[in-house]
Amino acid sequence: MIVKHLTPILNVSDIQQSFLWFEKLGWKRGWDWGTPPTFGGVCSGHCEIFLCQGGQGGRGTSGYPATFGPDSNEAAEKAVWISLWVDDVDEVHQRCLEQGIEVTWPPTDMPWNVREMHVRHPDGHVFRVGRGIEGQGDTSGGA
């Protein structure tokens, strides 16, 4: 099998609120379907994520305040985790702070040669926002 494109589908409790959350993160509302809409998509560059209100996967949080480190339990998380590869993790972090987006792990140079931070969607989905640390191997996520 050769995959031509990959589009994750997130189970959300409120599609309109999810559209607004992604806009705060810098994504754009791509489309919606239904009256009222219960399915839709958000876009950033060539990337797209589908949003399905009330179905197609799980959602929810572990109840832990962090998604990495001693104050977390990665195995207890109930929703989807997605890695987003960006040019500037610290710029994304600043935007998240300004927009009131829940940051569950601050920008940190990780031992696997990625500068990484985590944010959590209101339905528990975790986004690992990262960038390879230059000069330390190919960690761009484009393998």
Side-chain angles (χ1 to χ4, degrees), residues 7 15-32 39-51 84 95 101:
T7 307
I15 196 167
Q16 298 301 334
Q17 290 300 315
S18 289
F19 283 139
L20 293 174
W21 185 87
F22 276 99
E23 287 174 11
K24 288 180 182 180
L25 193 59
W27 290 60
K28 296 183 189 222
R29 180 182 186 148
W31 56 275
D32 60 41
F39 200 77
V42 291
C43 305
S44 177
H46 296 290
C47 297
E48 182 174 30
I49 298 173
F50 289 171
L51 307 173
L84 304 177
R95 180 183 184 110
I101 292 175

mmCIF file of all heavy atoms in Angstrom, residues 7 15-32 39-51 84 95 101:
data_model
loop_
_atom_site.group_PDB
_atom_site.id
_atom_site.type_symbol
_atom_site.label_atom_id
_atom_site.label_comp_id
_atom_site.label_asym_id
_atom_site.label_seq_id
_atom_site.Cartn_x
_atom_site.Cartn_y
_atom_site.Cartn_z
ATOM 1 N N THR A 7 -5.402 11.973 6.807
ATOM 2 C CA THR A 7 -6.219 12.981 7.475
ATOM 3 C C THR A 7 -6.759 12.389 8.774
ATOM 4 O O THR A 7 -7.642 11.526 8.743
ATOM 5 C CB THR A 7 -7.393 13.431 6.581
ATOM 6 O OG1 THR A 7 -6.886 13.844 5.320
ATOM 7 C CG2 THR A 7 -8.156 14.566 7.230
ATOM 8 N N ILE A 15 -18.467 21.132 17.574
ATOM 9 C CA ILE A 15 -17.685 21.443 16.381
ATOM 10 C C ILE A 15 -17.432 22.944 16.233
ATOM 11 O O ILE A 15 -16.345 23.357 15.837
ATOM 12 C CB ILE A 15 -18.312 20.832 15.113
ATOM 13 C CG1 ILE A 15 -17.289 20.834 13.974
ATOM 14 C CG2 ILE A 15 -19.595 21.535 14.739
ATOM 15 C CD1 ILE A 15 -17.692 19.989 12.789
ATOM 16 N N GLN A 16 -18.407 23.774 16.588
ATOM 17 C CA GLN A 16 -18.214 25.222 16.460
ATOM 18 C C GLN A 16 -17.120 25.704 17.410
ATOM 19 O O GLN A 16 -16.267 26.524 17.028
ATOM 20 C CB GLN A 16 -19.532 25.971 16.712
ATOM 21 C CG GLN A 16 -20.632 25.637 15.725
ATOM 22 C CD GLN A 16 -20.262 25.950 14.269
ATOM 23 O OE1 GLN A 16 -19.439 26.803 13.974
ATOM 24 N NE2 GLN A 16 -20.877 25.224 13.345
ATOM 25 N N GLN A 17 -17.120 25.204 18.642
ATOM 26 C CA GLN A 17 -16.076 25.573 19.597
ATOM 27 C C GLN A 17 -14.711 25.048 19.136
ATOM 28 O O GLN A 17 -13.680 25.699 19.337
ATOM 29 C CB GLN A 17 -16.410 25.055 21.002
ATOM 30 C CG GLN A 17 -17.581 25.771 21.639
ATOM 31 C CD GLN A 17 -17.329 27.270 21.776
ATOM 32 O OE1 GLN A 17 -16.266 27.698 22.200
ATOM 33 N NE2 GLN A 17 -18.323 28.061 21.409
ATOM 34 N N SER A 18 -14.703 23.879 18.506
ATOM 35 C CA SER A 18 -13.447 23.329 17.989
ATOM 36 C C SER A 18 -12.910 24.175 16.844
ATOM 37 O O SER A 18 -11.704 24.420 16.756
ATOM 38 C CB SER A 18 -13.630 21.883 17.543
ATOM 39 O OG SER A 18 -13.798 21.061 18.676
ATOM 40 N N PHE A 19 -13.795 24.644 15.957
ATOM 41 C CA PHE A 19 -13.351 25.553 14.899
ATOM 42 C C PHE A 19 -12.677 26.782 15.513
ATOM 43 O O PHE A 19 -11.605 27.204 15.071
ATOM 44 C CB PHE A 19 -14.530 26.003 14.024
ATOM 45 C CG PHE A 19 -15.012 24.996 13.024
ATOM 46 C CD1 PHE A 19 -16.369 24.832 12.803
ATOM 47 C CD2 PHE A 19 -14.132 24.224 12.284
ATOM 48 C CE1 PHE A 19 -16.841 23.926 11.863
ATOM 49 C CE2 PHE A 19 -14.581 23.304 11.342
ATOM 50 C CZ PHE A 19 -15.944 23.152 11.134
ATOM 51 N N LEU A 20 -13.283 27.351 16.550
ATOM 52 C CA LEU A 20 -12.718 28.537 17.199
ATOM 53 C C LEU A 20 -11.378 28.233 17.858
ATOM 54 O O LEU A 20 -10.450 29.042 17.795
ATOM 55 C CB LEU A 20 -13.706 29.093 18.227
ATOM 56 C CG LEU A 20 -15.000 29.671 17.667
ATOM 57 C CD1 LEU A 20 -15.953 30.045 18.796
ATOM 58 C CD2 LEU A 20 -14.714 30.870 16.780
ATOM 59 N N TRP A 21 -11.258 27.062 18.502
ATOM 60 C CA TRP A 21 -10.004 26.685 19.154
ATOM 61 C C TRP A 21 -8.873 26.577 18.129
ATOM 62 O O TRP A 21 -7.784 27.101 18.340
ATOM 63 C CB TRP A 21 -10.177 25.359 19.913
ATOM 64 C CG TRP A 21 -8.969 24.973 20.709
ATOM 65 C CD1 TRP A 21 -8.675 25.354 21.985
ATOM 66 C CD2 TRP A 21 -7.886 24.130 20.283
ATOM 67 N NE1 TRP A 21 -7.483 24.802 22.383
ATOM 68 C CE2 TRP A 21 -6.980 24.044 21.355
ATOM 69 C CE3 TRP A 21 -7.609 23.445 19.112
ATOM 70 C CZ2 TRP A 21 -5.811 23.290 21.281
ATOM 71 C CZ3 TRP A 21 -6.440 22.701 19.035
ATOM 72 C CH2 TRP A 21 -5.555 22.629 20.105
ATOM 73 N N PHE A 22 -9.153 25.918 17.011
ATOM 74 C CA PHE A 22 -8.128 25.779 15.979
ATOM 75 C C PHE A 22 -7.760 27.127 15.376
ATOM 76 O O PHE A 22 -6.600 27.360 15.036
ATOM 77 C CB PHE A 22 -8.563 24.786 14.891
ATOM 78 C CG PHE A 22 -8.280 23.362 15.244
ATOM 79 C CD1 PHE A 22 -9.271 22.540 15.759
ATOM 80 C CD2 PHE A 22 -7.007 22.835 15.074
ATOM 81 C CE1 PHE A 22 -8.996 21.222 16.099
ATOM 82 C CE2 PHE A 22 -6.725 21.518 15.401
ATOM 83 C CZ PHE A 22 -7.725 20.714 15.921
ATOM 84 N N GLU A 23 -8.728 28.034 15.249
ATOM 85 C CA GLU A 23 -8.417 29.378 14.758
ATOM 86 C C GLU A 23 -7.466 30.089 15.709
ATOM 87 O O GLU A 23 -6.540 30.774 15.280
ATOM 88 C CB GLU A 23 -9.708 30.177 14.546
ATOM 89 C CG GLU A 23 -10.483 29.714 13.326
ATOM 90 C CD GLU A 23 -11.848 30.389 13.179
ATOM 91 O OE1 GLU A 23 -12.128 31.368 13.907
ATOM 92 O OE2 GLU A 23 -12.630 29.916 12.329
ATOM 93 N N LYS A 24 -7.646 29.923 17.020
ATOM 94 C CA LYS A 24 -6.717 30.508 18.003
ATOM 95 C C LYS A 24 -5.312 29.957 17.810
ATOM 96 O O LYS A 24 -4.327 30.660 18.019
ATOM 97 C CB LYS A 24 -7.190 30.219 19.428
ATOM 98 C CG LYS A 24 -8.403 30.992 19.845
ATOM 99 C CD LYS A 24 -8.772 30.614 21.271
ATOM 100 C CE LYS A 24 -10.018 31.316 21.729
ATOM 101 N NZ LYS A 24 -10.374 30.938 23.114
ATOM 102 N N LEU A 25 -5.225 28.690 17.425
ATOM 103 C CA LEU A 25 -3.928 28.047 17.208
ATOM 104 C C LEU A 25 -3.294 28.487 15.887
ATOM 105 O O LEU A 25 -2.108 28.296 15.672
ATOM 106 C CB LEU A 25 -4.108 26.522 17.246
ATOM 107 C CG LEU A 25 -2.867 25.654 17.339
ATOM 108 C CD1 LEU A 25 -2.041 25.959 18.585
ATOM 109 C CD2 LEU A 25 -3.264 24.182 17.335
ATOM 110 N N GLY A 26 -4.095 29.099 15.000
ATOM 111 C CA GLY A 26 -3.576 29.588 13.726
ATOM 112 C C GLY A 26 -4.057 28.801 12.514
ATOM 113 O O GLY A 26 -3.630 29.066 11.395
ATOM 114 N N TRP A 27 -4.946 27.828 12.709
ATOM 115 C CA TRP A 27 -5.522 27.059 11.614
ATOM 116 C C TRP A 27 -6.725 27.806 11.054
ATOM 117 O O TRP A 27 -7.238 28.728 11.685
ATOM 118 C CB TRP A 27 -5.953 25.680 12.107
ATOM 119 C CG TRP A 27 -4.818 24.769 12.438
ATOM 120 C CD1 TRP A 27 -3.848 24.989 13.372
ATOM 121 C CD2 TRP A 27 -4.545 23.505 11.860
ATOM 122 N NE1 TRP A 27 -2.980 23.930 13.411
ATOM 123 C CE2 TRP A 27 -3.386 23.005 12.487
ATOM 124 C CE3 TRP A 27 -5.167 22.745 10.882
ATOM 125 C CZ2 TRP A 27 -2.836 21.773 12.158
ATOM 126 C CZ3 TRP A 27 -4.614 21.510 10.555
ATOM 127 C CH2 TRP A 27 -3.469 21.037 11.187
ATOM 128 N N LYS A 28 -7.212 27.375 9.896
ATOM 129 C CA LYS A 28 -8.400 27.970 9.275
ATOM 130 C C LYS A 28 -9.497 26.926 9.140
ATOM 131 O O LYS A 28 -9.228 25.751 8.884
ATOM 132 C CB LYS A 28 -8.062 28.525 7.893
ATOM 133 C CG LYS A 28 -7.082 29.661 7.970
ATOM 134 C CD LYS A 28 -6.826 30.248 6.615
ATOM 135 C CE LYS A 28 -5.689 31.198 6.801
ATOM 136 N NZ LYS A 28 -5.664 32.388 6.225
ATOM 137 N N ARG A 29 -10.718 27.402 9.300
ATOM 138 C CA ARG A 29 -11.876 26.543 9.053
ATOM 139 C C ARG A 29 -11.908 26.250 7.567
ATOM 140 O O ARG A 29 -11.945 27.160 6.740
ATOM 141 C CB ARG A 29 -13.127 27.286 9.487
ATOM 142 C CG ARG A 29 -14.393 26.536 9.293
ATOM 143 C CD ARG A 29 -15.532 27.447 9.745
ATOM 144 N NE ARG A 29 -16.786 26.759 9.725
ATOM 145 C CZ ARG A 29 -17.780 27.000 10.561
ATOM 146 N NH1 ARG A 29 -17.641 27.921 11.481
ATOM 147 N NH2 ARG A 29 -18.897 26.332 10.469
ATOM 148 N N GLY A 30 -11.881 24.974 7.197
ATOM 149 C CA GLY A 30 -11.875 24.599 5.789
ATOM 150 C C GLY A 30 -13.265 24.423 5.213
ATOM 151 O O GLY A 30 -13.575 24.953 4.162
ATOM 152 N N TRP A 31 -14.110 23.686 5.927
ATOM 153 C CA TRP A 31 -15.441 23.362 5.423
ATOM 154 C C TRP A 31 -16.249 22.755 6.562
ATOM 155 O O TRP A 31 -15.704 22.385 7.601
ATOM 156 C CB TRP A 31 -15.358 22.389 4.253
ATOM 157 C CG TRP A 31 -14.624 21.122 4.600
ATOM 158 C CD1 TRP A 31 -13.280 20.930 4.566
ATOM 159 C CD2 TRP A 31 -15.187 19.907 5.079
ATOM 160 N NE1 TRP A 31 -12.972 19.657 4.995
ATOM 161 C CE2 TRP A 31 -14.127 19.010 5.306
ATOM 162 C CE3 TRP A 31 -16.482 19.481 5.336
ATOM 163 C CZ2 TRP A 31 -14.316 17.716 5.784
ATOM 164 C CZ3 TRP A 31 -16.676 18.193 5.812
ATOM 165 C CH2 TRP A 31 -15.598 17.316 6.018
ATOM 166 N N ASP A 32 -17.551 22.679 6.372
ATOM 167 C CA ASP A 32 -18.400 21.950 7.309
ATOM 168 C C ASP A 32 -19.528 21.289 6.537
ATOM 169 O O ASP A 32 -19.791 21.618 5.380
ATOM 170 C CB ASP A 32 -18.920 22.846 8.430
ATOM 171 C CG ASP A 32 -19.757 24.011 7.953
ATOM 172 O OD1 ASP A 32 -20.583 23.834 7.024
ATOM 173 O OD2 ASP A 32 -19.605 25.112 8.498
ATOM 174 N N PHE A 39 -19.870 17.786 11.078
ATOM 175 C CA PHE A 39 -18.633 17.260 10.510
ATOM 176 C C PHE A 39 -17.971 18.400 9.749
ATOM 177 O O PHE A 39 -18.655 19.258 9.175
ATOM 178 C CB PHE A 39 -18.934 16.093 9.553
ATOM 179 C CG PHE A 39 -17.761 15.195 9.290
ATOM 180 C CD1 PHE A 39 -17.360 14.268 10.230
ATOM 181 C CD2 PHE A 39 -17.051 15.285 8.106
ATOM 182 C CE1 PHE A 39 -16.276 13.431 9.996
ATOM 183 C CE2 PHE A 39 -15.963 14.454 7.858
ATOM 184 C CZ PHE A 39 -15.571 13.525 8.807
ATOM 185 N N GLY A 40 -16.663 18.454 9.779
ATOM 186 C CA GLY A 40 -15.979 19.528 9.070
ATOM 187 C C GLY A 40 -14.479 19.328 9.105
ATOM 188 O O GLY A 40 -13.985 18.301 9.575
ATOM 189 N N GLY A 41 -13.779 20.327 8.617
ATOM 190 C CA GLY A 41 -12.336 20.237 8.568
ATOM 191 C C GLY A 41 -11.674 21.572 8.838
ATOM 192 O O GLY A 41 -12.232 22.633 8.551
ATOM 193 N N VAL A 42 -10.470 21.501 9.418
ATOM 194 C CA VAL A 42 -9.620 22.669 9.616
ATOM 195 C C VAL A 42 -8.336 22.443 8.841
ATOM 196 O O VAL A 42 -7.898 21.304 8.649
ATOM 197 C CB VAL A 42 -9.333 22.932 11.111
ATOM 198 C CG1 VAL A 42 -10.599 23.386 11.831
ATOM 199 C CG2 VAL A 42 -8.736 21.711 11.796
ATOM 200 N N CYS A 43 -7.734 23.552 8.365
ATOM 201 C CA CYS A 43 -6.568 23.460 7.487
ATOM 202 C C CYS A 43 -5.448 24.378 7.962
ATOM 203 O O CYS A 43 -5.698 25.462 8.488
ATOM 204 C CB CYS A 43 -6.949 23.870 6.067
ATOM 205 S SG CYS A 43 -8.327 22.952 5.381
ATOM 206 N N SER A 44 -4.225 23.929 7.724
ATOM 207 C CA SER A 44 -3.026 24.731 7.922
ATOM 208 C C SER A 44 -2.049 24.311 6.837
ATOM 209 O O SER A 44 -1.567 23.169 6.841
ATOM 210 C CB SER A 44 -2.423 24.498 9.309
ATOM 211 O OG SER A 44 -1.226 25.232 9.452
ATOM 212 N N GLY A 45 -1.768 25.226 5.904
ATOM 213 C CA GLY A 45 -0.912 24.853 4.781
ATOM 214 C C GLY A 45 -1.538 23.702 4.017
ATOM 215 O O GLY A 45 -2.708 23.745 3.643
ATOM 216 N N HIS A 46 -0.771 22.621 3.811
ATOM 217 C CA HIS A 46 -1.264 21.446 3.093
ATOM 218 C C HIS A 46 -1.873 20.403 4.030
ATOM 219 O O HIS A 46 -2.246 19.321 3.581
ATOM 220 C CB HIS A 46 -0.134 20.802 2.288
ATOM 221 C CG HIS A 46 0.392 21.681 1.204
ATOM 222 N ND1 HIS A 46 -0.326 21.979 0.072
ATOM 223 C CD2 HIS A 46 1.563 22.343 1.088
ATOM 224 C CE1 HIS A 46 0.377 22.786 -0.700
ATOM 225 N NE2 HIS A 46 1.526 23.017 -0.099
ATOM 226 N N CYS A 47 -1.972 20.725 5.314
ATOM 227 C CA CYS A 47 -2.466 19.767 6.304
ATOM 228 C C CYS A 47 -3.931 20.027 6.634
ATOM 229 O O CYS A 47 -4.386 21.162 6.637
ATOM 230 C CB CYS A 47 -1.644 19.863 7.585
ATOM 231 S SG CYS A 47 0.089 19.428 7.348
ATOM 232 N N GLU A 48 -4.656 18.940 6.904
ATOM 233 C CA GLU A 48 -6.066 19.045 7.248
ATOM 234 C C GLU A 48 -6.393 18.048 8.349
ATOM 235 O O GLU A 48 -5.840 16.949 8.409
ATOM 236 C CB GLU A 48 -6.929 18.753 6.021
ATOM 237 C CG GLU A 48 -8.407 18.876 6.253
ATOM 238 C CD GLU A 48 -9.231 18.715 4.976
ATOM 239 O OE1 GLU A 48 -8.792 17.977 4.067
ATOM 240 O OE2 GLU A 48 -10.303 19.324 4.906
ATOM 241 N N ILE A 49 -7.285 18.442 9.235
ATOM 242 C CA ILE A 49 -7.812 17.570 10.279
ATOM 243 C C ILE A 49 -9.332 17.622 10.171
ATOM 244 O O ILE A 49 -9.915 18.702 10.088
ATOM 245 C CB ILE A 49 -7.363 18.023 11.691
ATOM 246 C CG1 ILE A 49 -5.842 17.954 11.818
ATOM 247 C CG2 ILE A 49 -8.046 17.181 12.761
ATOM 248 C CD1 ILE A 49 -5.301 18.535 13.109
ATOM 249 N N PHE A 50 -9.973 16.445 10.152
ATOM 250 C CA PHE A 50 -11.425 16.381 10.168
ATOM 251 C C PHE A 50 -11.901 16.429 11.615
ATOM 252 O O PHE A 50 -11.253 15.873 12.518
ATOM 253 C CB PHE A 50 -11.935 15.092 9.532
ATOM 254 C CG PHE A 50 -11.778 15.004 8.041
ATOM 255 C CD1 PHE A 50 -12.038 13.802 7.402
ATOM 256 C CD2 PHE A 50 -11.391 16.086 7.259
ATOM 257 C CE1 PHE A 50 -11.916 13.684 6.030
ATOM 258 C CE2 PHE A 50 -11.271 15.982 5.890
ATOM 259 C CZ PHE A 50 -11.536 14.773 5.271
ATOM 260 N N LEU A 51 -13.055 17.052 11.830
ATOM 261 C CA LEU A 51 -13.687 17.127 13.143
ATOM 262 C C LEU A 51 -15.067 16.490 13.044
ATOM 263 O O LEU A 51 -15.856 16.857 12.171
ATOM 264 C CB LEU A 51 -13.825 18.592 13.583
ATOM 265 C CG LEU A 51 -12.548 19.429 13.550
ATOM 266 C CD1 LEU A 51 -12.858 20.891 13.846
ATOM 267 C CD2 LEU A 51 -11.508 18.883 14.504
ATOM 268 N N LEU A 84 2.721 17.862 15.357
ATOM 269 C CA LEU A 84 2.731 18.949 14.380
ATOM 270 C C LEU A 84 4.161 19.454 14.282
ATOM 271 O O LEU A 84 4.775 19.755 15.302
ATOM 272 C CB LEU A 84 1.834 20.109 14.840
ATOM 273 C CG LEU A 84 0.371 19.792 15.144
ATOM 274 C CD1 LEU A 84 -0.337 21.041 15.651
ATOM 275 C CD2 LEU A 84 -0.328 19.254 13.919
ATOM 276 N N ARG A 95 2.008 32.286 21.053
ATOM 277 C CA ARG A 95 0.644 32.435 20.533
ATOM 278 C C ARG A 95 -0.346 31.707 21.432
ATOM 279 O O ARG A 95 -1.424 32.222 21.735
ATOM 280 C CB ARG A 95 0.555 31.906 19.098
ATOM 281 C CG ARG A 95 -0.851 32.043 18.526
ATOM 282 C CD ARG A 95 -0.988 31.462 17.132
ATOM 283 N NE ARG A 95 -2.318 31.711 16.635
ATOM 284 C CZ ARG A 95 -2.615 32.551 15.658
ATOM 285 N NH1 ARG A 95 -1.671 33.220 15.048
ATOM 286 N NH2 ARG A 95 -3.858 32.705 15.277
ATOM 287 N N ILE A 101 -4.716 29.057 25.185
ATOM 288 C CA ILE A 101 -4.713 27.624 24.877
ATOM 289 C C ILE A 101 -3.942 26.886 25.966
ATOM 290 O O ILE A 101 -2.866 27.323 26.389
ATOM 291 C CB ILE A 101 -4.094 27.372 23.485
ATOM 292 C CG1 ILE A 101 -5.030 27.938 22.408
ATOM 293 C CG2 ILE A 101 -3.822 25.890 23.254
ATOM 294 C CD1 ILE A 101 -4.477 27.863 21.009
#
